Amino acid sequence: MELETQPKSPGTGGGRRSFLWKRFKKQKVLHLFVGLGMIYLLIFAYTPMFGILMAFKDYSISGGIKGIFTSDWVGLRYFDEFVHDYQFGKLVRNTLVLSLLKVIFAFPAPILLAIMLNEVKHMAFKRFVQTISYLPHFISWVVVVGVSYAFLSADVGVVNKALMAMGFTDEPLAFLTSPNYFWGLAVGSAVWKEMGWWTIIFLAAISGISPSQYEAAEIDGAGRLARIRYITLPGMKGTIVVVLVLTIGSILGGGLVGSNFEQAYLLGNSINNPTSEIVQTYAFRVGLSDGRFSYAAAIDLIQSVISVALIFSSNYIAKRVSGSSLF
Amino acid sequence: MLKSQRQKDFVFDSVIYVVLFIIMLTMLYPFYYVLIASFNKGSDSLLGGVYLWPRNFTLENYRVFMDDPKWVKAFLISVLRTVSGTLLGLLLTSIVAYGLSHRDLLFSKVYFTVIVFAMYFSGGLIPYYVVLRSLGLLNSFAVYIIPSMLSTFFLLIAISFFREIPAELKESAHIDGAGELTIFFRIILPVSTPVLATMALFMGVGQWNSWLDSAYFVQSEELRTLAFRMMEVINKSNSPMDSLAVANSASAGVTSFSLQVTSMVVSIVPIICVYPFLQKYFVHGIMLGSVKG
């Protein structure tokens, strides 16, 4: 208080406030730089957050951005409608099953690949396998789905032609157009696409393990498997926990192997719909295709609240159990 | 004793090499298959049995692809958005990150809170759509570029990289009388090739592969991207109704399948071309990101 009532003499640095002001002026170009980013986030990240309000309102498209504030409150009507939607049970089941299957199969895969690559002594071969294995990460889901089509479709698919030629089946299996195959298809293609990519992080963790540990174990007579079990795996523990937290936090979006939405949207069709329609594709259809903005926003909101809760609770549990955590 | 250990190791190694070899084939063969299918006569591919090399070699698929103004236009839009989106994204991200990399920056706690909060919470698709619409970005080329210029993830990676640059570099420039802009463009950016290359790869690939924004925010046929057109063709033939639907110029034995694989090759080749050059950078870059969470 006292400082503020003192007369300020610019230049001689009277008081904390003018000291701050001097520092700020010295950094003004930097604040200009950062300010650009802040304005950007304000527009493209924070304004949409206010838009969440429309989930509780009867928003109509004609009103523009103002419409969010002027349209009528409807409380939890759209949440209620979603819970009583006749598709609700199917949507929740499909979303959870797809997410869980991906964690079960996609989480261990890169760990195993990293351990195997670590045992390879020919550096050229190791590097080659690695380079090939993360290439699919850079290919879009559209292409991956196109590849699945080329391989598995009933009429042109290589797999069906081969199975028939070898006499395993008399008629082509409807991999792409049967509800029975969708989950396997989605999980398989997701592992194919992202396994090599996550291996990079686990290999980095392994390279942090001191070689003297391996030497000591070898002198003590530990075989290759024993060394993997007692040195490599414990050495990766911290990274494994962090990646697991990340996976569980993003499980509704598809976890490590990304984009349940793109998979369900691209691989889904009217016949495999009983297993391929998930909450996100449904929200997309009712929202942007049918123009029911408030209803779709309510469904979106439920999803993101669950996701955020998952991130924080899995992080908390990881911290409690192992001492490693993301934040 | 020693010998049996060696035998065990041999078995162990053999198993690993075989498994890795199979994994490698599973990763590679799909790309190879798409490639040979694109050089095989479309109507012939439908008969099956083309596994190792084109049975009925033709360039017809590529000719039809290049004669179709829709595909050419889509390709050009994709190139344009990839180049401009990546450059502008790099510029904004690195400028903001440079400012934030100063540890003595006033209010930096506030700035970081704003960034981290935006990383974990989002408004969801529908409110985002409404914002883009009120900004007049819908149905314009700008919708591909402007909303994706700054990602909080790249921002954090760039900040941690800039912080590793020795402070003496900046100080000596300061003493020589250089302003922040000069320091940033003449000193910081040139020594930041690894992180710039990493971000360029990810932004570029993201732009090149993106079809969702074309589907969500754009109605105009003129602005469709390559990835979106591909999605349309694949989705159409994937749907049970018209899986044998033939492409516009059926005369030369070009099918929707052969056009599909051709467009896939066209979309994969640019990625494979830049990949080897940027690879050494992004492995380092992603680790940097992973360490910082």
Side-chain angles (χ1 to χ4, degrees):
Chain A
M1 270 319 275
E2 248 178 288
L3 283 174
E4 281 182 24
T5 50
Q6 276 177 2
K8 279 182 208 112
S9 45
T12 54
R16 185 173 152 72
R17 202 184 247 186
S18 73
F19 171 69
L20 275 181
W21 177 241
K22 262 178 78 182
R23 252 181 82 191
F24 186 80
K25 257 175 84 174
K26 236 178 119 187
Q27 298 179 334
K28 64 174 185 288
V29 182
L30 297 178
H31 284 282
L32 193 77
F33 286 177
V34 178
L36 281 176
M38 293 299 126
I39 293 170
Y40 188 93
L41 288 180
L42 195 72
I43 297 173
F44 292 105
Y46 284 87
T47 322
M49 287 184 207
F50 286 105
I52 290 173
L53 282 178
M54 75 174 69
F56 305 95
K57 291 195 163 208
D58 218 348
Y59 174 75
S60 85
I61 184 121
S62 53
I65 189 78
K66 242 178 165 177
I68 296 173
F69 296 103
T70 51
S71 47
D72 297 327
W73 289 98
V74 293
L76 298 176
R77 194 220 285 168
Y78 289 112
F79 296 89
D80 193 64
E81 188 181 335
F82 179 54
V83 173
H84 291 101
D85 194 299
Y86 77 99
Q87 300 205 60
F88 180 74
K90 175 187 91 177
L91 293 171
V92 170
R93 184 202 62 186
N94 290 348
T95 308
L96 291 181
V97 169
L98 188 59
S99 303
L100 283 173
L101 282 178
K102 280 187 172 183
V103 173
I104 293 167
F105 291 99
F107 176 65
I111 300 176
L112 289 174
L113 182 59
I115 290 173
M116 283 196 286
L117 280 170
N118 187 49
E119 298 293 325
V120 172
K121 282 169 208 85
H122 298 275
M123 285 314 285
F125 181 71
K126 181 179 168 181
R127 218 168 294 143
F128 187 65
V129 175
Q130 241 203 303
T131 306
I132 300 301
S133 72
Y134 47 64
L135 182 60
H137 173 76
F138 293 97
I139 305 302
S140 75
W141 275 115
V142 178
V143 171
V144 174
V145 168
V147 169
S148 319
Y149 175 72
F151 265 74
L152 300 169
S153 80
D155 40 39
V156 291
V158 180
V159 172
N160 269 318
K161 299 267 192 221
L163 286 178
M164 274 153 62
M166 288 187 282
F168 284 115
T169 173
D170 290 334
E171 44 186 76
L173 304 172
F175 291 113
L176 299 163
T177 51
S178 157
N180 300 333
Y181 294 112
F182 176 75
W183 289 333
L185 185 65
V187 173
S189 56
V191 171
W192 181 82
K193 189 174 185 294
E194 305 293 354
M195 173 171 71
W197 178 246
W198 285 90
T199 301
I200 298 178
I201 283 177
F202 291 113
L203 272 176
I206 294 177
S207 68
I209 301 171
S210 150
S212 61
Q213 284 197 51
Y214 287 104
E215 283 156 23
E218 211 176 337
I219 290 164
D220 289 348
R224 302 276 288 271
L225 278 172
R227 273 178 267 164
I228 289 173
R229 189 169 154 204
Y230 294 109
I231 299 174
T232 312
L233 272 174
M236 297 164 82
K237 198 179 112 187
T239 308
I240 290 177
V241 169
V242 168
V243 172
L244 189 62
V245 172
L246 277 171
T247 311
I248 293 173
S250 58
I251 184 172
L252 291 183
L256 291 182
V257 290
S259 204
N260 279 351
F261 175 81
E262 284 191 64
Q263 282 200 302
Y265 185 81
L266 293 169
L267 285 169
N269 51 51
S270 53
I271 305 181
N272 66 17
N273 180 282
T275 52
S276 68
E277 183 93 294
I278 58 173
V279 174
Q280 284 170 302
T281 49
Y282 182 72
F284 172 73
R285 275 184 240 283
V286 298
L288 293 190
S289 304
D290 303 348
R292 302 192 55 203
F293 282 38
S294 286
Y295 187 41
I299 301 173
D300 258 0
L301 181 57
I302 296 174
Q303 263 224 145
S304 47
V305 168
I306 295 173
S307 291
V308 169
L310 279 172
I311 294 176
F312 285 98
S313 49
S314 63
N315 192 57
Y316 175 77
I317 292 168
K319 213 187 267 176
R320 272 331 240 326
V321 172
S322 70
S324 314
S325 68
L326 192 56
F327 45 83
Chain B
M1 178 63 200
L2 209 82
K3 204 178 171 199
S4 77
Q5 187 61 44
R6 254 191 221 145
Q7 278 169 343
K8 258 197 212 159
D9 274 3
F10 179 75
V11 173
F12 187 84
D13 277 334
S14 311
V15 170
I16 283 183
Y17 278 84
V18 169
V19 172
L20 286 179
F21 190 73
I22 292 170
I23 290 179
M24 201 174 69
L25 276 188
T26 341
M27 295 289 173
L28 263 188
Y29 183 68
F31 292 115
Y32 179 73
Y33 176 74
V34 167
L35 187 70
I36 55 171
S38 76
F39 285 111
N40 200 48
K41 194 176 172 192
S43 50
D44 179 60
S45 294
L46 295 185
L47 302 173
V50 183
Y51 301 135
L52 291 177
W53 44 80
R55 180 170 54 201
N56 210 325
F57 183 86
T58 175
L59 292 173
E60 199 57 29
N61 297 320
Y62 288 93
R63 202 188 58 75
V64 170
F65 184 88
M66 284 188 289
D67 280 350
D68 188 341
K70 269 180 155 183
W71 282 110
V72 175
K73 183 111 199 191
F75 181 82
L76 290 177
I77 292 275
S78 282
V79 171
L80 196 62
R81 75 171 282 183
T82 303
V83 173
S84 54
T86 307
L87 288 178
L88 288 171
L90 278 181
L91 186 68
L92 183 65
T93 309
S94 50
I95 278 183
V96 177
Y98 175 68
L100 288 164
S101 69
H102 290 73
R103 289 177 199 276
D104 61 343
L105 189 75
L106 281 177
F107 317 125
S108 59
K109 263 228 162 88
V110 180
Y111 292 144
F112 275 100
T113 311
V114 169
I115 291 166
V116 172
F117 190 77
M119 234 177 147
Y120 286 103
F121 297 86
S122 82
L125 174 64
I126 306 295
Y128 188 63
Y129 175 88
V130 172
V131 168
L132 294 185
R133 199 171 62 97
S134 63
L135 292 172
L137 285 173
L138 291 190
N139 231 350
S140 72
F141 183 74
V143 83
Y144 295 144
I145 311 291
I146 294 175
S148 52
M149 269 168 66
L150 187 72
S151 112
T152 47
F153 176 71
F154 294 135
L155 201 54
L156 295 183
I157 286 186
I159 291 169
S160 59
F161 185 90
F162 288 151
R163 282 190 172 166
E164 284 177 11
I165 297 174
E168 292 80 23
L169 217 56
K170 273 181 273 178
E171 277 159 20
S172 61
H174 257 306
I175 292 166
D176 292 346
E180 291 291 356
L181 272 174
T182 320
I183 294 177
F184 176 69
F185 282 107
R186 307 292 281 280
I187 294 171
I188 301 298
L189 281 191
V191 299
S192 305
T193 330
V195 77
L196 293 178
T198 307
M199 293 198 299
L201 176 71
F202 285 108
M203 288 177 185
V205 168
Q207 287 282 0
W208 181 254
N209 283 340
S210 176
W211 61 276
L212 274 169
D213 47 13
S214 195
Y216 287 163
F217 308 131
V218 171
Q219 268 104 48
S220 163
E221 282 291 313
E222 293 286 289
L223 291 170
R224 296 305 194 190
T225 60
L226 181 65
F228 179 85
R229 288 250 178 262
M230 207 159 45
M231 186 278 288
E232 272 188 329
V233 177
I234 290 169
N235 240 15
K236 229 179 254 162
S237 50
N238 186 13
S239 75
M241 301 313 290
D242 52 357
S243 61
L244 281 174
V246 172
N248 353 12
S249 74
S251 53
V254 175
T255 62
S256 82
F257 172 73
S258 66
L259 197 58
Q260 226 180 86
V261 284
T262 307
S263 68
M264 277 153 69
V265 172
V266 172
S267 107
I268 295 171
V269 164
I271 294 178
I272 292 186
C273 289
V274 296
Y275 185 70
F277 299 104
L278 296 162
Q279 207 195 131
K280 60 176 179 189
Y281 295 124
F282 77 72
V283 172
H284 174 72
I286 191 75
M287 283 176 198
L288 207 75
S290 70
V291 171
K292 309 282 170 192

